[in-house]
Amino acid sequence: MTTNRDLLLHPIRLRIVQALVANPMTPLRLRDHLGDVPQASLYRHIAQLTEAGLIRVVEERPVRGVVERTYGVVEAAVSLGADDLENASDDDHLRYFSTFVGTLLSQFAAYVDAGDVDVAADGVGYRQAALWLADDEFDELIAELGAVVQRRLANEPDPERRRRLLSTIVMPDGRA
């Protein structure tokens, strides 16, 4: 039996869900946004995600004799909660992380493939910092970062705003 988590582990379906999280779209807008997904494949993945209840139609409107559907995410259905992560096996964690990293690679490749890359002007960065933190200091850091990001999550799309992806990975150093 395929679970919702299994459906999300497919790189294209994960990218669809990520694209729709903050910005409901029609399949045509979604195809343009993703750039490299064939239309037939996109419609198949949308159908699978809709059938599983991970995305839903948020708007329908008639356009030239057909109904144009706009899809959005069912937030509660696409998020791995603390229980999901706590009950995941080591193999599950490795699959989740591999999917996450694979999606990052795909998104970065799409950025580079678009041409005219200017990492400084675009604010692109990838770096790693090793921090020595007691558990309470770590908890405080996570709360501070969460508060900063939370304030920006409420931003609405606007012609002067550019959608940016902030991806985080936090893990203990294997040497400690």
Side-chain angles (χ1 to χ4, degrees):
M1 182 174 95
T2 302
T3 66
N4 286 355
R5 279 186 284 180
D6 291 333
L7 278 172
L8 285 174
L9 288 177
H10 189 283
I12 292 175
R13 288 190 293 266
L14 183 59
R15 287 175 58 208
I16 290 169
V17 168
Q18 288 173 330
L20 294 176
V21 163
N23 192 18
M25 294 183 220
T26 65
L28 292 178
R29 277 194 55 220
L30 190 55
R31 184 193 67 197
D32 292 343
H33 177 80
L34 296 176
D36 62 342
V37 179
Q39 187 168 339
S41 180
L42 178 65
Y43 278 101
R44 186 179 72 251
H45 290 298
I46 287 173
Q48 290 172 320
L49 291 167
T50 304
E51 184 178 317
L54 299 172
I55 65 174
R56 65 183 177 86
V57 176
V58 296
E59 181 184 352
E60 290 183 331
R61 67 184 188 105
V63 176
R64 293 187 292 276
V66 298
V67 176
E68 179 183 67
R69 291 180 176 87
T70 300
Y71 291 87
V73 167
V74 178
E75 192 68 39
V78 299
S79 299
L80 285 176
D83 287 344
D84 295 314
L85 294 175
E86 189 173 312
N87 295 320
S89 70
D90 291 348
D91 286 341
D92 287 338
H93 283 297
L94 193 53
R95 277 189 316 140
Y96 300 161
F97 188 75
S98 296
T99 301
F100 176 74
V101 171
T103 301
L104 284 177
L105 286 170
S106 175
Q107 290 166 332
F108 194 78
Y111 164 70
V112 171
D113 290 345
D116 198 26
V117 171
D118 187 340
V119 294
D122 293 339
V124 173
Y126 39 90
R127 53 189 66 79
Q128 186 175 54
L131 307 173
W132 290 92
L133 301 169
D135 289 346
D136 61 329
E137 293 172 318
F138 176 72
D139 291 343
E140 184 179 314
L141 173 67
I142 294 301
E144 290 170 354
L145 291 172
V148 169
V149 171
Q150 190 65 41
R151 286 195 305 269
R152 301 295 187 229
L153 287 175
N155 287 358
E156 296 289 328
D158 181 279
E160 294 190 20
R161 289 188 172 134
R162 182 174 180 185
R163 186 168 185 246
R164 299 174 190 274
L165 302 175
L166 175 65
S167 304
T168 59
I169 299 170
V170 178
M171 63 184 152
D173 186 343
R175 296 177 286 164

